[in-house]
Amino acid sequence: MQATSIDRDTLDQLARQIRRAILRSTTQAGSGHPTSSLSAVELMTALFFQGHFRFDADHPEHPNNDRLIFSKGHASPLFYSLWAAAGQVSSADLMTYRQFGSPIEGHPTSRFELTEAATGSLGQGLSIGLGMALNGQYLDRLPYRTFVLLGDSEMAEGSQWEAMELASHYQLNNLIGILDVNRLGQRGETMQGHDLTAHQRRIEAFGWETILIEDGHDLAEVDAAYRKAFASDSKRPKMLIAHTIKGKGVSFLEDQPGWHGKPLDEDQLQQALAELPAEGEPITGNLASPENAQPEKSSPQASQPFDYKIGDKVATRNAFGNAIQRLGPQWPNLVSLDGEVSNSTRAKFFAEEFPDRFFEMFVAEQNMAGAAIGLARRGKIPFVSSFAAFLTRAFDQIRMARYSDVNVKFVGSHCGVSIGQDGPSQMGLEDIAMFRTIQESVVLYPCDAVSAERLVEAMMQHHGISYLRTTRGKTPVLYDDQTRFSIGGCNVLRRSSNDQATLVAAGVTVHEALRAQETLQQDGIQVRVIDLYSIKPLDRETLRQAAAETEVLITIEDHFPEGGLGEAVRSAVAESTASIRSLAVRKRAMSGTPEELREDQGISADGIVKEVRSCVGQRVG
Amino acid sequence: MQATSIDRDTLDQLARQIRRAILRSTTQAGSGHPTSSLSAVELMTALFFQGHFRFDADHPEHPNNDRLIFSKGHASPLFYSLWAAAGQVSSADLMTYRQFGSPIEGHPTSRFELTEAATGSLGQGLSIGLGMALNGQYLDRLPYRTFVLLGDSEMAEGSQWEAMELASHYQLNNLIGILDVNRLGQRGETMQGHDLTAHQRRIEAFGWETILIEDGHDLAEVDAAYRKAFASDSKRPKMLIAHTIKGKGVSFLEDQPGWHGKPLDEDQLQQALAELPAEGEPITGNLASPENAQPEKSSPQASQPFDYKIGDKVATRNAFGNAIQRLGPQWPNLVSLDGEVSNSTRAKFFAEEFPDRFFEMFVAEQNMAGAAIGLARRGKIPFVSSFAAFLTRAFDQIRMARYSDVNVKFVGSHCGVSIGQDGPSQMGLEDIAMFRTIQESVVLYPCDAVSAERLVEAMMQHHGISYLRTTRGKTPVLYDDQTRFSIGGCNVLRRSSNDQATLVAAGVTVHEALRAQETLQQDGIQVRVIDLYSIKPLDRETLRQAAAETEVLITIEDHFPEGGLGEAVRSAVAESTASIRSLAVRKRAMSGTPEELREDQGISADGIVKEVRSCVGQRVG
């Protein structure tokens, strides 16, 4: 570590300058969280300007820069003011805080270049930091450290304890939490109040090393705590637990309830600034330099082709597992995270071949999603797999991932009533809806092994949040290895010059639609069959053409109707006058065989035939 | 407590009989989790048949029956076999396990009468138990106990630690967890393996009393542990932590990997049964009787009317808070749970008036939703409130609530880009989609204080999962107190005999639509304006009529397009040939003023006017 030396007066001056900037920027904005920012000023000032945080600001992407995540994202005024004191944000820019168009947003997002990951929904930063620390320790093998500033209120979030558990399991001594125990939450006191040892007991029980800071506003004590954390040679992650005062530095704000999320008015601001004299402001503090270590890198190797024959019965979840295993050599940055179900999702195929690039994340889906964000921000391409149903557990993290602009792939297995006997708790029936709500997301749902493999390849080529929905049971291979699949594409599997309706299906219902088509053909009714494997984005043109030519679209999905394939198609062909009907899971889901359940829900071949006959009959009638 | 006496031989015989039933029912089903069930046989046999579990099986709804939740819901073969041994499930019914139509589902759901709450998604049972324990201790004030059987794998779920923290905060010594430490998860060993003290350290740090059971298959030791738990006079919740063997009782299954979720084949079954001789089977064990205490009940009092004047500016979140406060006397079972934001959601209006019926659930949304399920199963009517964005945190619990058939009301405040400066992390933009996916759910989104109040009344009259979406900023009161609002209804606010388009809005966009209507009218363009305050179910008839009469529907929503108001309307008017256009949040959300953000997203009055002109122009052209 390259130390920076700074005298105590300058340090005090920097802290005061940061406080002034916090107050001025929030008053200017008319909103924001000055008091939650003021409590952590010394914790961050010591980190940045006493040589602990090693960061080359001219090269924010330097692989060995230390990383800092504000898990308490509402302390964004401190975050920006800190970077301003480090010379990275101008005073003028700081005063655009929360204005429309400014990257200096209300809570940090990736629109501000130095944001490591978007925060603001509490209890997410530690998981993200864990992902970065996993990368440093196990993948890039670099000596950078990851710091996470945590609020005490957010320790009530279970996701924190998922991250705590996994961090100690993986012995991430490069992960340093800084817990700002300012006692006050939004509407009152936290469960622990100012009892540092209550936090300490829990955190130590989860396998972390803790360092108490009795006065989180004493720069010397904070400095010493960092030094102690770095000096430890234990393999445990470290948590600094600091007694702080909410609103510190302004007499009428200190430790007072009722000031959460409230800026000062102009008069109050002047009164506050008078307590925080500026001398020779602005000054700039220096950050220590990162080490020059370079990440370990493997060269890409060619991937092998796959070998499925038409008619082979292969579950798409197996094809997913095969695909990431097959693509592993070609994509050295591809990593896999699984929530203790890798034998079911088939992520284990990859895990067995690339144990160093597989992370068992246990039954803790929120942390798994957060860790994937952290890994992605460090250049890895994580596949996050669990049962589709259980990815709902991480909706908030998935939602937030979008504001970090990350490249994360989610894979949900065991979708739909087609899982059968295990019953509704295990059935992913709302996953398409969930992932469709993520802006710019990709939602893919292959019906056979070949399309599943090709769609995993397409996901690798795509930067962003994408979702692959896989099926538990085996389905016959429909496609040869020359068939092309693309994000936004579809395949017209059956078509004639006098189709009377179009069946729009995906995944398991493609096979039901094909069976229905055969039955109907025997009755002299021609229908078109579309495999809409890309549900978002989707191939509007082909759907519109089908709507125009056949006048009836029938969507069939093993998913609830709301937000699913049917509604996606309706939105896509809005301008059409075709009649659209949607077969979906509308009755209560329960245990049974996959066939019984699809029949019961009207999404089997029989149900489709019945629906087509009723439409076509209607039209003829 | 009325003790039951049972000799050791009979108890052993019951345990063997339960093991046989577990094995036979899963082999018959061809799926299920026998080994995960076998590890907890003695833990449950001792509970039921040594006089600890006080339950009147002739009156499952007896207010003082003890409660048992299988948080490890995959141990359902044990659950049903236990109730069979208690004489509540016939052998024939047991053998319908996992068959289509049978209430004996793969994981427990409310279709089986003795299921307290549906489980199967791990890490949810403790929160549900916490809700039941809160009810016993603080509301009904009854001496019943709540038992929760927990798996060791699921202790990785953060939701467990949310429940742990809250249970000790509320001093719920009527809540008893039984942790079945069988070492093996689905695909391998848990993080703690068989280290009971690793679990103990964590659980004690969270304020629970723990009792270790060194051999969870020794009925005498298990019995003694229960006695010790009941004898304690501490105010702490209790956790029995038991060393058990997965697959216990069958030599070739015991402590073996690779047997998770796998039934025996017929030969293996015979081999296993030979190790578990049946003597005089079936026998039935007796449960202890519950005490005869009756719940404390208050008589309903008349609620007061509200008083808003048309044009008053009132935030719908305030109207929600006013409404539950106002309705409190009329509905003694109404309770409120809030995630440490009651000053923002306005649940605090109720909390201040009815502190005994308000539960601060801190920043732990998953546990809050689970606790609400538990309270609802004990006859309470919980309102669960947080920011709409943060309810995504509890999607898995909300999804599962449906399979418990509970009466829970969710309220999400701060929806849409209309919150403004705080930025996207705080904006609920996917909540309508999320709640629409819940089968038979109700989704309501009022635009003013009067409709908000009336819709809260409608929610109280409705049994089921319902969601109220409220707005941060003030909106003018549009309705007088005579206007009627109903689930599934809407209000046509503007209509003429020559409307050229219909604007379908809800919440904040109703006001934008009304402004647009005025502007357009000045240009001689008449449009209809519908306040679609009930998004699910919705008033198909009025929408279809509008579609038929005006030929153009324009939906406007402060929500992402996927799964929102627009798609709900499209699905409702599927048979119509009207053109439907949807204005929604399609660009990246960011900080700014509400007005700037609505303008930017094209959902302001200006955006609507522009869209109408383009449609009407098109049609004229």
Side-chain angles (χ1 to χ4, degrees):
Chain A
M1 188 175 84
Q2 183 193 319
T4 56
S5 68
I6 185 163
D7 64 76
R8 179 57 196 261
D9 278 355
T10 310
L11 208 58
D12 285 341
Q13 196 181 340
L14 277 167
R16 263 200 316 278
Q17 175 176 309
I18 289 170
R19 285 205 156 83
R20 294 172 61 86
I22 288 167
L23 295 166
R24 290 174 56 236
S25 61
T26 48
T27 293
Q28 161 89 8
S31 64
H33 298 79
T35 57
S36 308
S37 296
L38 291 171
S39 63
V41 168
E42 281 73 21
L43 296 174
M44 292 296 100
T45 301
L47 176 69
F48 261 43
F49 304 119
Q50 289 189 284
H52 305 307
F53 191 68
R54 304 163 304 178
F55 193 91
D56 178 353
D58 293 332
H59 302 96
E61 280 309 306
H62 190 297
N64 214 30
N65 275 344
D66 285 342
R67 303 290 156 186
L68 171 63
I69 298 148
F70 264 49
S71 186
K72 50 177 291 186
H74 56 291
S76 59
L78 167 60
F79 182 67
Y80 302 125
S81 300
L82 189 66
W83 281 115
Q88 300 303 310
V89 177
S90 72
S91 287
D93 283 349
L94 197 61
M95 290 304 132
T96 66
Y97 180 52
R98 294 179 162 238
Q99 288 178 16
F100 181 66
S102 168
I104 314 288
E105 294 204 71
H107 293 73
T109 74
S110 60
R111 295 184 61 247
F112 175 67
E113 194 189 10
L114 294 166
T115 302
E116 290 288 346
T119 50
S121 180
L122 292 174
Q124 300 201 4
L126 197 59
S127 300
I128 296 167
L130 180 142
M132 294 182 176
L134 280 175
N135 180 65
Q137 189 142 322
Y138 294 97
L139 297 167
D140 284 351
R141 297 179 195 275
L142 289 175
Y144 71 80
R145 300 186 185 113
T146 303
F147 299 90
V148 182
L149 177 66
L150 296 152
D152 50 350
S153 276
E154 65 174 331
M155 296 310 284
E157 283 286 11
S159 48
Q160 303 279 27
W161 302 97
E162 297 180 4
M164 297 292 290
E165 188 74 275
L166 270 289
S168 67
H169 177 76
Y170 279 108
Q171 305 189 322
L172 297 175
N173 59 3
N174 56 348
L175 179 63
I176 296 117
I178 303 137
L179 181 53
D180 175 17
V181 184
N182 68 18
R183 188 181 75 84
L184 291 169
Q186 169 169 331
R187 54 80 258 162
E189 195 169 39
T190 66
M191 282 181 277
Q192 290 77 27
H194 255 148
D195 182 356
L196 298 193
T197 59
H199 289 289
Q200 184 180 35
R201 273 196 305 278
R202 290 160 174 76
I203 293 166
E204 290 200 343
F206 274 71
W208 285 51
E209 191 172 328
T210 62
I211 298 163
L212 296 191
I213 300 175
E214 300 293 341
D215 179 0
H217 303 293
D218 177 341
L219 282 161
E221 190 184 352
V222 176
D223 179 47
Y226 284 114
R227 290 183 194 281
K228 192 171 169 193
F230 304 148
S232 163
D233 59 0
S234 90
K235 291 187 169 175
R236 291 186 289 164
K238 315 286 183 288
M239 184 70 75
L240 278 55
I241 306 174
H243 180 293
T244 63
I245 302 293
K246 197 159 174 171
K248 177 72 181 180
V250 180
S251 56
F252 55 95
L253 297 178
E254 286 190 1
D255 205 32
Q256 291 301 308
W259 273 105
H260 182 91
K262 289 190 187 150
L264 304 186
D265 65 25
E266 204 45 62
D267 286 348
Q268 291 163 335
L269 175 66
Q270 293 314 321
Q271 196 182 335
L273 293 179
E275 298 183 19
L276 297 162
E279 295 144 18
E281 197 173 296
I283 60 169
T284 303
N286 292 318
L287 301 178
S289 300
E291 297 190 24
N292 262 325
Q294 286 298 314
E296 287 194 6
K297 281 203 173 153
S298 317
S299 305
Q301 312 278 315
S303 65
Q304 298 301 305
F306 54 75
D307 181 27
Y308 303 106
K309 286 178 190 58
I310 288 179
D312 281 358
K313 292 211 159 187
V314 184
T316 53
R317 60 174 168 149
N318 283 47
F320 155 69
N322 291 339
I324 56 171
Q325 180 195 356
R326 189 172 59 78
L327 298 172
Q330 186 184 343
W331 296 90
N333 285 341
L334 190 168
V335 298
S336 163
L337 284 71
D338 192 275
E340 223 270 290
V341 288
S342 58
N343 53 340
S344 290
T345 60
R346 306 308 199 212
K348 78 163 177 178
F349 298 169
F350 180 88
E352 284 164 2
E353 186 91 6
F354 303 98
D356 295 347
R357 287 156 59 186
F358 174 79
F359 297 96
E360 176 56 71
M361 301 306 280
F362 296 92
V363 192
E365 296 80 7
Q366 294 192 72
N367 177 64
M368 176 164 63
I373 295 171
L375 283 160
R377 291 289 302 185
R378 299 310 320 126
K380 299 303 170 290
I381 308 175
F383 274 85
V384 175
S385 49
S386 183
F387 283 29
F390 306 143
L391 292 177
T392 56
R393 204 67 160 248
F395 190 11
D396 198 23
Q397 281 78 6
I398 296 167
R399 176 182 81 83
M400 287 296 296
R402 190 266 172 274
Y403 307 115
S404 290
D405 285 298
V406 285
N407 187 17
V408 178
K409 325 298 181 190
F410 293 92
V411 180
S413 69
H414 293 65
C415 66
V417 298
S418 294
I419 67 159
Q421 289 83 350
D422 270 329
S425 61
Q426 320 291 300
M427 294 171 176
L429 289 165
E430 47 289 285
D431 52 316
I432 295 175
M434 178 172 81
F435 280 102
R436 280 185 69 231
T437 66
I438 309 302
Q439 275 189 324
E440 298 180 24
S441 68
V442 168
V443 178
L444 305 170
Y445 183 18
C447 70
D448 83 340
V450 170
S451 51
E453 291 256 11
R454 291 288 182 233
L455 291 172
V456 173
E457 289 173 357
M459 288 168 91
M460 289 306 301
Q461 300 287 350
H462 175 82
H463 182 99
I465 297 171
S466 53
Y467 176 57
L468 184 77
R469 187 178 209 229
T470 68
T471 298
R472 178 177 180 275
K474 293 178 181 178
T475 48
V477 172
L478 292 183
Y479 296 109
D480 65 33
D481 63 3
Q482 298 306 304
T483 315
R484 295 171 69 94
F485 296 86
S486 60
I487 290 171
C490 71
N491 267 306
V492 182
L493 286 166
R494 299 288 184 273
R495 122 182 270 159
S496 79
S497 55
N498 57 339
D499 291 330
Q500 295 178 267
T502 300
L503 308 180
V504 185
V508 74
T509 61
V510 169
H511 304 279
E512 301 289 345
L514 289 173
R515 274 194 286 277
Q517 185 269 343
E518 278 181 39
T519 304
L520 290 162
Q521 193 166 35
Q522 286 162 12
D523 291 1
I525 301 174
Q526 302 296 335
V527 295
R528 189 166 301 182
V529 179
I530 294 178
D531 172 7
L532 194 72
Y533 58 80
S534 179
I535 295 176
K536 184 184 174 194
L538 43 61
D539 181 349
R540 272 167 217 275
E541 213 29 68
T542 300
L543 289 169
R544 285 178 183 169
Q545 193 187 348
E549 291 175 6
T550 71
E551 292 175 40
V552 175
L553 295 188
I554 299 173
T555 64
I556 312 111
E557 64 191 306
D558 191 357
H559 184 277
F560 291 135
E562 294 87 1
L565 169 72
E567 293 195 348
V569 169
R570 286 174 196 281
S571 289
V573 300
E575 304 299 308
S576 152
T577 57
S579 165
I580 307 177
R581 298 180 174 213
S582 296
L583 304 180
V585 176
R586 294 181 190 272
K587 295 193 224 173
R588 180 162 178 157
M590 52 177 84
S591 291
T593 66
E595 296 73 22
E596 284 169 335
L597 297 174
R598 287 197 293 264
E599 187 70 28
D600 180 51
Q601 298 288 351
I603 58 171
S604 66
D606 278 2
I608 299 168
V609 166
K610 212 172 290 174
E611 187 72 11
V612 170
R613 285 197 178 123
S614 87
C615 301
V616 170
Q618 240 178 18
R619 268 203 298 168
V620 173
Chain B
M1 187 175 81
Q2 181 193 323
T4 57
S5 68
I6 185 164
D7 65 73
R8 178 58 194 261
D9 278 357
T10 310
L11 207 58
D12 285 341
Q13 198 181 337
L14 277 167
R16 263 200 315 280
Q17 176 177 307
I18 289 169
R19 285 206 156 82
R20 293 172 63 86
I22 288 167
L23 294 166
R24 290 173 59 236
S25 61
T26 48
T27 294
Q28 161 88 10
S31 65
H33 298 78
T35 56
S36 308
S37 295
L38 291 171
S39 62
V41 168
E42 281 74 20
L43 296 174
M44 292 296 101
T45 301
L47 176 69
F48 261 43
F49 304 120
Q50 290 188 285
H52 304 307
F53 191 68
R54 303 162 306 176
F55 193 91
D56 178 353
D58 293 333
H59 302 95
E61 280 309 306
H62 189 299
N64 213 29
N65 275 343
D66 285 344
R67 304 288 155 188
L68 171 63
I69 297 148
F70 265 49
S71 187
K72 50 177 290 188
H74 56 292
S76 60
L78 167 60
F79 182 67
Y80 302 126
S81 301
L82 188 67
W83 281 115
Q88 299 303 311
V89 177
S90 72
S91 288
D93 283 350
L94 197 61
M95 289 305 131
T96 66
Y97 180 51
R98 293 178 163 241
Q99 288 178 16
F100 180 66
S102 168
I104 314 288
E105 294 203 71
H107 293 73
T109 74
S110 59
R111 295 184 60 248
F112 175 68
E113 194 190 9
L114 295 165
T115 302
E116 290 288 346
T119 51
S121 181
L122 293 174
Q124 301 202 5
L126 197 60
S127 299
I128 296 168
L130 180 142
M132 294 183 176
L134 280 176
N135 180 65
Q137 191 143 321
Y138 294 97
L139 297 167
D140 285 350
R141 298 179 195 272
L142 289 174
Y144 71 80
R145 299 186 185 115
T146 302
F147 298 90
V148 182
L149 177 67
L150 296 152
D152 50 350
S153 276
E154 65 175 329
M155 296 311 284
E157 284 286 12
S159 48
Q160 303 278 29
W161 301 98
E162 297 180 4
M164 298 291 290
E165 188 75 273
L166 270 290
S168 68
H169 177 77
Y170 279 108
Q171 304 189 323
L172 296 175
N173 59 3
N174 56 348
L175 179 62
I176 297 119
I178 304 137
L179 181 54
D180 174 17
V181 184
N182 69 17
R183 188 182 74 84
L184 291 169
Q186 167 168 332
R187 55 79 258 162
E189 194 168 39
T190 65
M191 281 180 277
Q192 290 78 25
H194 255 147
D195 183 357
L196 299 193
T197 59
H199 289 290
Q200 184 180 35
R201 273 195 305 277
R202 290 160 173 76
I203 294 166
E204 290 200 341
F206 273 71
W208 286 50
E209 190 171 330
T210 63
I211 298 164
L212 295 191
I213 301 176
E214 298 293 342
D215 179 0
H217 303 293
D218 178 341
L219 283 162
E221 190 184 352
V222 176
D223 179 47
Y226 283 115
R227 289 181 196 283
K228 192 170 168 192
F230 304 148
S232 162
D233 59 1
S234 90
K235 290 187 171 175
R236 291 185 288 164
K238 315 285 184 289
M239 184 71 74
L240 279 55
I241 306 174
H243 179 291
T244 64
I245 304 293
K246 196 159 175 172
K248 177 71 179 181
V250 180
S251 56
F252 56 94
L253 297 178
E254 287 189 0
D255 205 32
Q256 292 300 307
W259 273 105
H260 182 92
K262 288 191 187 150
L264 304 185
D265 66 25
E266 204 44 63
D267 286 348
Q268 291 164 334
L269 175 64
Q270 293 313 320
Q271 198 183 333
L273 293 179
E275 296 183 17
L276 297 162
E279 293 144 18
E281 198 174 290
I283 58 169
T284 303
N286 293 317
L287 300 178
S289 300
E291 296 187 25
N292 262 325
Q294 287 298 314
E296 286 194 7
K297 280 202 173 152
S298 317
S299 304
Q301 313 278 316
S303 64
Q304 298 301 308
F306 54 76
D307 181 29
Y308 302 107
K309 287 179 188 55
I310 289 180
D312 280 359
K313 292 212 160 191
V314 185
T316 54
R317 60 176 170 146
N318 282 48
F320 154 70
N322 291 340
I324 55 171
Q325 180 196 357
R326 189 172 60 78
L327 297 173
Q330 185 184 346
W331 296 90
N333 285 341
L334 190 167
V335 298
S336 164
L337 284 71
D338 192 275
E340 222 268 294
V341 287
S342 59
N343 53 339
S344 290
T345 61
R346 306 306 200 214
K348 79 164 177 177
F349 298 169
F350 180 88
E352 285 164 0
E353 186 92 7
F354 304 98
D356 295 348
R357 288 155 61 187
F358 174 80
F359 296 96
E360 176 55 72
M361 301 306 281
F362 296 92
V363 192
E365 297 80 6
Q366 294 195 70
N367 177 65
M368 175 164 65
I373 296 172
L375 283 160
R377 291 289 301 184
R378 299 311 319 125
K380 299 301 170 291
I381 308 174
F383 274 84
V384 175
S385 50
S386 183
F387 282 30
F390 306 143
L391 292 177
T392 57
R393 204 65 162 249
F395 191 11
D396 198 22
Q397 280 77 7
I398 297 166
R399 175 183 81 83
M400 287 295 296
R402 190 267 170 273
Y403 306 115
S404 290
D405 285 300
V406 285
N407 188 18
V408 178
K409 325 297 180 192
F410 293 92
V411 180
S413 69
H414 293 65
C415 66
V417 298
S418 294
I419 67 160
Q421 289 83 348
D422 270 329
S425 62
Q426 320 293 301
M427 294 171 176
L429 290 165
E430 48 288 285
D431 52 315
I432 296 176
M434 178 172 81
F435 280 102
R436 280 185 69 231
T437 67
I438 308 301
Q439 276 189 323
E440 300 180 22
S441 67
V442 168
V443 178
L444 305 170
Y445 183 17
C447 70
D448 83 339
V450 170
S451 52
E453 291 256 11
R454 291 288 181 232
L455 290 172
V456 173
E457 290 173 357
M459 288 169 92
M460 288 307 299
Q461 300 286 351
H462 175 83
H463 182 99
I465 298 170
S466 52
Y467 175 57
L468 183 78
R469 187 178 211 231
T470 68
T471 298
R472 178 177 181 276
K474 293 178 182 178
T475 48
V477 172
L478 293 184
Y479 297 109
D480 65 36
D481 62 5
Q482 299 305 305
T483 314
R484 296 170 69 93
F485 296 85
S486 61
I487 290 172
C490 70
N491 268 308
V492 182
L493 286 167
R494 298 289 183 273
R495 124 182 268 159
S496 78
S497 54
N498 57 339
D499 291 331
Q500 295 178 267
T502 301
L503 309 180
V504 185
V508 74
T509 61
V510 169
H511 304 279
E512 301 289 346
L514 289 173
R515 275 194 286 276
Q517 186 268 343
E518 278 180 39
T519 304
L520 289 162
Q521 193 166 35
Q522 287 162 10
D523 291 0
I525 301 173
Q526 302 297 334
V527 295
R528 189 166 301 182
V529 179
I530 294 178
D531 172 8
L532 195 72
Y533 58 78
S534 180
I535 295 176
K536 183 184 173 193
L538 45 61
D539 181 349
R540 273 169 217 274
E541 215 28 70
T542 301
L543 290 169
R544 284 178 185 168
Q545 195 189 344
E549 292 175 6
T550 71
E551 291 174 42
V552 175
L553 294 188
I554 299 171
T555 65
I556 312 109
E557 63 191 306
D558 191 358
H559 183 275
F560 292 136
E562 294 86 2
L565 169 72
E567 293 196 349
V569 168
R570 286 173 196 281
S571 288
V573 299
E575 304 299 308
S576 151
T577 57
S579 166
I580 308 177
R581 300 183 174 209
S582 296
L583 304 180
V585 176
R586 294 180 190 273
K587 295 194 223 171
R588 180 163 179 155
M590 54 177 81
S591 292
T593 67
E595 295 72 23
E596 283 168 336
L597 297 174
R598 287 196 294 265
E599 187 71 25
D600 180 50
Q601 297 289 350
I603 58 170
S604 65
D606 278 0
I608 298 168
V609 166
K610 212 173 290 176
E611 187 73 11
V612 170
R613 285 196 178 126
S614 88
C615 300
V616 170
Q618 236 177 20
R619 269 202 299 168
V620 173

